[in-house]
Amino acid sequence: MIPKRFRPAFIAALTVALTSGSFLAYSASAGSGPEAADRAATDAFARIADDVLSRRSEALVEEQQGRRGAAPGSSKAGLSAKFKKDEDTALSSLRSRKTRLAELGEAYSGADTRVTVERATVTGGRATVLVSEDTKLTYKKLRGDEPETTDFRTRYELKLTSKKGGRWELDSVKSQENGPVAVNEPVAAKVNTVKDDGNQYPDGTPAATKYPATPKPKAKTGGAYDYSAMAKYAEKHWSNYNPQYRKFNGAGGDCTNFISQALKAGGWKPVPGSSSDYRNWWYDGSRQSDSWVGANEWAWFTLSNKRAANLANVYQMDVGDVLQVDFNKDGSKDHSMMVTYRSGNGMPYLTYHSTNTYRKSLASILASYPDARYFAYRT
C-alpha cells in the first residue's frame, strides 16, 4: 500500500444564497432561545451590511463613483466604536491593496455589491445574521484586453447589539470562507497547519512570480485535450454548481473537485484503482479518489502520471492551466484554481470555487498573498 499523507484542499463552504420573504423562528420551548428577527430589524441588518461591504468594494475602485443610497455623514452609522476603528484599518489595507494592484498593472473602474440576508436571529438584545454578498468589479481598460468584470459570491456572519430607540450596532463581521479572500476582504485566509509524515511525494517545483515572463502559448483545441472546453465548463459552473457532482464545501473544500470536473470536461481520462492511491484519479457518482478532491493528492497524481508539468513562472499559464497556492509555505497546498482567460499582454485570469469566483486576475491573487508559494501546472 502506498503511504498516504492526506492534506485536504483548503476551501471554505459556500452555499448559493436562498432569498426568503420571511424568516422561520427557531424552536425554543422555554422561550429563551434565539428567535427570528422581525422585518424591521432584518431590513436594518441588511442596510448596515450593505453599507460596510459596499464601502470595502469601493475602496478598490480607482475612480470613485457616487455611492448608491449613501447619505452624507452616514458612513459609520450603525457601527460600534471598536468596529469603526477596525473598519478604518480594514479600508486602509484595501487601499494599500489597490496600490499594489496598480503596480501590477490592474485597476477597477466600478463596483456593484449586493447583500442578501439569509438568516437573522435575536437573543437577549444580541443578533446573529448570516448574509451573502454578490460583487461585480469592472476592470479598467489599462492594457485594452482585460475581461469586462470579475465576480464573486461570499458569505459573512454579523454580530450586532441592540441600542436604545430600536437602533442596532454592528460589532463584528466574520467571513464564512476559508479559502482565498475575496478581493474586497481585508483579512488574510486561514490555513491548516499539517504535520509532515516523513514520506516523499512528487510535490513539484514552485513558480516564480515576476512579471513579465517568457510566453509559453499552447493550442486551445485540436490536441489531446480541449482547453477551451475546460474554461467553458469552469465559467458555466463557477456559481451554479453542476448537480451531477457532489459538493465538498464542508469536507475539506470544493476547489479541487471543481478543477477535476473541468479537466474531465476537457478530455482528462480517469485512472481507476484504490481511492487512497494518489496515482489514481476518478469519480463514479457515489465515491471518488482522494486525488479528485484533495489539492496535494491532485498534484501528486498529476506529476506522477505526467498529466501536467510545472511551469517556471506563474505568468506563463494559459487557458486550462492550473494554479495551486501554499499560503503559509508549510509544504501543504491549500487551494486550486484554473485559468479561464489570458489577455494578450500575458495576464492569466482564474476561476474557482470557494470563494466562488469568476475571472480573478493573477495580479489580484498576488496582491493579496505576496508571500505565498505558488505552483503553476501546464495541463
Side-chain angles (χ1 to χ4, degrees):
M1 176 178 288
I2 293 177
K4 173 169 170 285
R5 176 178 56 182
F6 183 67
R7 302 182 293 185
F10 180 73
I11 310 298
L14 182 58
T15 305
V16 176
L18 299 175
T19 307
S20 172
S22 62
F23 291 86
L24 300 177
Y26 286 78
S27 173
S29 57
S32 59
E35 298 180 354
D38 61 26
R39 176 54 59 187
T42 300
D43 289 346
F45 301 152
R47 286 193 296 271
I48 293 172
D50 180 80
D51 184 75
V52 169
L53 297 177
S54 292
R55 290 183 185 281
R56 289 182 177 183
S57 298
E58 288 166 1
L60 296 168
V61 176
E62 186 174 79
E63 298 172 1
Q64 291 291 333
Q65 304 166 322
R67 209 187 161 311
R68 55 184 174 85
S74 66
S75 63
K76 295 185 179 179
L79 310 183
S80 69
K82 181 180 183 303
F83 188 80
K84 289 177 186 178
K85 182 178 180 180
D86 292 343
E87 195 62 12
D88 283 342
T89 301
L91 292 174
S92 177
S93 73
L94 289 172
R95 286 189 284 270
S96 295
R97 185 177 297 172
K98 179 175 68 174
T99 299
R100 292 196 298 273
L101 282 168
E103 292 170 351
L104 293 169
E106 181 169 310
Y108 305 116
S109 61
D112 182 28
T113 292
R114 307 286 171 171
V115 174
T116 300
V117 175
E118 296 186 16
R119 184 176 68 246
T121 59
V122 178
T123 307
R126 295 275 298 171
T128 300
V129 184
L130 182 66
V131 303
S132 61
E133 173 195 353
D134 289 272
T135 289
K136 184 187 298 289
L137 290 167
T138 302
Y139 285 111
K140 186 174 182 179
K141 297 297 184 180
L142 298 176
R143 297 185 175 95
D145 58 356
E146 293 89 346
E148 291 300 319
T149 64
T150 178
D151 305 53
F152 63 86
R153 175 174 292 165
T154 188
R155 301 166 84 217
Y156 293 96
E157 182 185 78
L158 280 60
K159 296 286 189 180
L160 302 98
T161 302
S162 177
K163 299 297 181 181
K164 292 182 179 179
R167 185 171 178 270
W168 288 92
E169 279 192 353
L170 180 61
D171 298 315
S172 67
V173 174
K174 182 180 180 181
S175 173
Q176 299 302 288
E177 313 298 339
N178 287 325
V181 294
V183 66
N184 70 342
E185 185 183 342
V187 181
K190 299 177 289 296
V191 295
N192 289 329
T193 300
V194 180
K195 184 178 180 179
D196 198 303
D197 64 6
N199 293 312
Q200 296 297 313
Y201 298 89
D203 283 319
T205 304
T209 58
K210 185 177 180 180
Y211 181 85
T214 302
K216 289 184 71 68
K218 64 181 181 181
K220 308 301 186 297
T221 59
Y225 304 123
D226 188 337
Y227 300 110
S228 294
M230 294 177 186
K232 185 178 296 184
Y233 180 95
E235 294 196 344
K236 179 179 180 181
H237 294 292
W238 73 271
S239 64
N240 297 310
Y241 284 43
N242 186 343
Q244 294 181 1
Y245 292 95
R246 296 185 304 282
K247 301 175 184 177
F248 293 87
N249 294 318
D254 202 62
C255 65
T256 307
N257 175 44
F258 181 56
I259 66 163
S260 288
Q261 294 172 33
L263 291 165
K264 184 175 182 292
W268 273 35
K269 303 300 182 185
V271 177
S274 168
S275 63
S276 62
D277 185 337
Y278 67 76
R279 294 172 300 186
N280 305 324
W281 181 80
W282 52 268
Y283 181 100
D284 69 4
S286 61
R287 298 184 307 130
Q288 70 289 318
S289 65
D290 292 345
S291 60
W292 183 279
V293 295
N296 292 288
E297 289 80 0
W298 180 87
W300 303 336
F301 164 79
T302 298
L303 295 171
S304 64
N305 282 269
K306 296 181 170 54
R307 287 289 178 93
N310 285 131
L311 292 166
N313 190 296
V314 292
Y315 284 102
Q316 293 175 323
M317 291 189 301
D318 208 331
V319 170
D321 289 340
V322 170
L323 179 68
Q324 292 191 309
V325 189
D326 176 359
F327 291 117
N328 63 348
K329 298 182 179 179
D330 69 345
S332 178
K333 298 173 180 68
D334 301 303
H335 185 58
S336 306
M337 300 167 275
M338 177 171 281
V339 176
T340 58
Y341 177 77
R342 177 183 167 92
S343 72
N345 289 290
M347 180 63 69
Y349 292 81
L350 299 129
T351 298
Y352 53 91
H353 275 184
S354 308
T355 303
N356 291 355
T357 299
Y358 169 79
R359 290 193 178 183
K360 184 174 185 177
S361 72
L362 176 60
S364 180
I365 298 287
L366 296 176
S368 298
Y369 299 100
D371 299 321
R373 180 174 290 139
Y374 295 88
F375 296 81
Y377 300 83
R378 169 55 49 86
T379 59

